[in-house]
């Protein structure tokens, strides 16, 4: 069994031409019930005169330990500096932003859902994708009129009467598929579980910075309240009011 020492967490937040390793707070939200991930970066006031960012500038947040950082969020600036609800803050959205802003206006003949979605993604400039190989009957004709890619994907679902999940993870678009998981991490009472509560009927496990756990992953929980392998439904990472990095894992 491999053990990772979770001491001295590190962060690197990139937005446009800038990389920030200190003087920031952040929040990252990733859930199975949302088709996109979002994040916020908040800055200390002295940054303001030095930051110039535009909507759709590339952005990423990396977390890790011992100089081994892992991308927890990739995407773009959705609201530039001071463009959100708070000052000294930028809002980020993952690659789904590209799909929301690309219009499809075509008629598709003798086609399958996978062929249409692959075409949509190409129009949005997305080349990394993993689409389920499930066989579906071909439709002779399906018009898509002035829809965003997200709307067009939902129109495809309605046409075939299906409801597969789709999302980005690590810059890859997944449709009715899940990212491969190479390791199942263990969270244990008295070791790396800071708290375990059940508000609203959903377990909320609070731990230290845990960049390697994503929604839809399996984790192993050892705790007096619950023990066993569970599937993660949501992951929220943030700096708390004391400046420490915390990850909340929901299942």
């Amino acid at each position: 069994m491999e053990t990772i020492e979770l001491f001295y967490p590190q962060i690197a937040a990139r937005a446009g031409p800038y990389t920030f390793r200190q003087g920031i707070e952040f929040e990252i939200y990733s859930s199975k019930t949302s088709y996109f991930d979002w994040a916020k970066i908040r800055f200390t006031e002295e940054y303001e005169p030095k930051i110039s960012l535009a909507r759709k500038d590339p952005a990423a947040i990396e977390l890790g330990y011992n100089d081994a950082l892992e991308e927890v969020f990739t995407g773009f600036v959705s609201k530039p500096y001071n463009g959100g609800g708070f000052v000294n803050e930028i809002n980020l959205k993952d690659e789904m932003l590209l799909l929301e802003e690309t219009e499809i206006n075509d008629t598709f003949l003798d086609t399958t859902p996978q062929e249409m979605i692959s075409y949509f993604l190409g129009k949005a400039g997305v080349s990394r994708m993993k689409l389920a190989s499930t066989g579906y009957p071909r439709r002779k004709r399906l018009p898509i009129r002035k829809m965003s890619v997200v709307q067009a994907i939902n129109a495809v679902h309605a046409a075939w009467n299906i409801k597969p999940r789709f999302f980005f993870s690590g810059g890859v678009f997944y449709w009715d598929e899940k990212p491969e998981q190479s390791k199942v991490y263990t969270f244990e009472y008295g070791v790396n579980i800071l708290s375990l509560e059940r508000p609203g009927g959903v377990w909320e496990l609070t731990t230290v910075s845990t960049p390697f756990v994503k929604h839809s992953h399996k984790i192993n929980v050892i705790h007096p309240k619950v023990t066993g392998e569970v599937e993660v439904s949501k992951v929220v990472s943030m700096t708390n009011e004391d400046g420490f990095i915390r990850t909340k894992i929901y299942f």
Side-chain angles (χ1 to χ4, degrees):
M1 183 179 71
E2 181 183 358
T3 300
I4 300 175
E5 296 292 344
L6 302 181
F7 298 116
Y8 309 114
Q10 295 168 297
I11 179 173
R14 302 194 306 273
Y18 309 103
T19 298
F20 307 96
R21 301 185 185 276
Q22 57 188 4
I24 61 170
E25 298 176 348
F26 72 92
E27 183 177 356
I28 306 169
Y29 180 95
S30 179
S31 172
K32 288 170 62 174
T33 61
S34 173
Y35 68 88
F36 65 89
D37 293 354
W38 60 263
K40 294 181 179 181
I41 301 175
R42 299 185 185 97
F43 302 90
T44 54
E45 292 181 1
E46 57 266 27
Y47 274 120
E48 184 170 7
K50 305 174 185 178
I51 294 177
S52 177
L53 290 168
R55 179 176 165 80
K56 296 182 77 171
D57 277 349
I61 299 175
E62 298 179 339
L63 301 175
Y65 295 88
N66 300 320
D67 296 322
L69 299 182
E70 181 168 335
E71 283 188 334
V72 181
F73 176 90
T74 61
F76 302 92
V77 175
S78 58
K79 292 183 180 178
Y81 199 76
N82 288 347
F86 298 91
V87 297
N88 303 321
E89 175 182 280
I90 58 173
N91 292 1
L92 314 176
K93 181 178 281 192
D94 71 8
E95 292 83 359
M96 205 62 74
L97 182 68
L98 300 177
L99 275 58
E100 292 175 342
E101 299 192 350
T102 300
E103 185 178 89
I104 305 296
N105 189 33
D106 291 286
T107 297
F108 298 85
L109 305 175
D110 187 31
T111 189
T112 65
Q114 290 92 332
E115 289 171 347
M116 293 184 68
I117 291 170
S118 180
Y119 174 83
F120 300 160
L121 295 173
K123 291 280 282 187
V126 175
S127 59
R128 300 167 63 197
M129 66 189 77
K130 189 169 184 180
L131 311 181
S133 58
T134 308
Y136 295 99
R138 290 183 171 270
R139 286 188 68 96
K140 292 183 179 180
R141 185 175 185 274
L142 183 58
I144 301 292
R145 292 288 173 257
K146 294 186 176 181
M147 295 184 184
S148 71
V149 172
V150 173
Q151 292 170 329
I153 291 173
N154 287 323
V156 168
H157 292 173
W160 270 271
N161 194 28
I162 56 178
K163 291 184 178 180
R165 289 175 53 237
F166 61 95
F167 57 92
F168 279 93
S169 182
V172 179
F173 179 86
Y174 291 88
W175 182 79
D176 205 20
E177 288 278 358
K178 295 179 182 179
E180 294 183 4
Q181 182 179 354
S182 58
K183 298 177 182 178
V184 175
Y185 293 95
T186 295
F187 295 87
E188 186 173 354
Y189 176 73
V191 178
N192 55 359
I193 295 178
L194 300 178
S195 68
L196 182 63
E197 307 295 337
R198 198 178 186 187
V202 177
W203 288 106
E204 178 188 87
L205 186 157
T206 302
T207 183
V208 293
S209 175
T210 312
F212 31 78
V213 174
K214 319 288 186 184
H215 79 63
S216 303
H217 274 187
K218 302 284 188 179
I219 61 171
N220 188 40
V221 178
I222 303 174
H223 192 279
K225 294 180 180 179
V226 59
T227 294
E229 190 173 275
V230 298
E231 182 172 312
V232 176
S233 62
K234 180 170 68 173
V235 180
V236 179
S237 294
M238 68 188 76
T239 45
N240 66 11
E241 58 274 10
D242 298 317
F244 296 112
I245 299 175
R246 295 289 182 257
T247 298
K248 293 182 181 292
I249 299 171
Y250 298 81
F251 58 90

